Amino acid sequence: GGGLSASTAAAGEGAKATGKGGDCCWDGPLLNAYALDFLKHGQLATIVKDNRVAAGRAWILLRDWDLLLTGLAAAINGMTRAPDYAPTFSFLARRFRQKFKTLSAQG
C-alpha cells in the first residue's frame, strides 16, 4: 500500500510539478504507485484511500493500465524476435487483467 510519496501526498492529486524557478514542466497528475499496488492486492477501496482519488477516477485509471499493459504485451510478443522479457511482460498483463476483471465483476 501507501502509493503516495511524501511529496505527492503533500501536493495532492492533480497538483502540478514545477522545475527550477517555478516553471511548470508537467501539468498532468503526479505519478504514484497505484497500478503496482493494485497488482499486489487488487482492492479498489485501498487504491482510493491510499491515493486520495475518487472511486470512479481510480477505476478509469486502472482500466487505462489494463488496456496499456495488454496492448504492450501484444506488441512485444508480435515482434519478429521477441525480447527476453516478453514472457514476464505477458505475465504482468495477464495478472493485471485478472484482477481488473474481478474488480469490474464486483460492480
Side-chain angles (χ1 to χ4, degrees), residues 61-92:
L61 291 168
L62 294 170
R63 182 205 57 201
D64 290 349
W65 268 102
D66 176 52
L67 295 172
L68 176 71
L69 289 172
T70 301
L72 287 172
I76 290 168
N77 286 310
M79 297 172 120
T80 304
R81 285 182 34 116
D84 293 340
Y85 58 82
T88 301
F89 213 94
S90 293
F91 170 78
L92 288 173

Side-chain angles (χ1 to χ4, degrees), residues 24-42:
C24 183
C25 55
W26 170 251
D27 105 17
L30 292 175
L31 303 176
N32 58 50
Y34 67 87
L36 179 59
D37 291 344
F38 182 73
L39 190 58
K40 289 179 183 178
H41 57 63

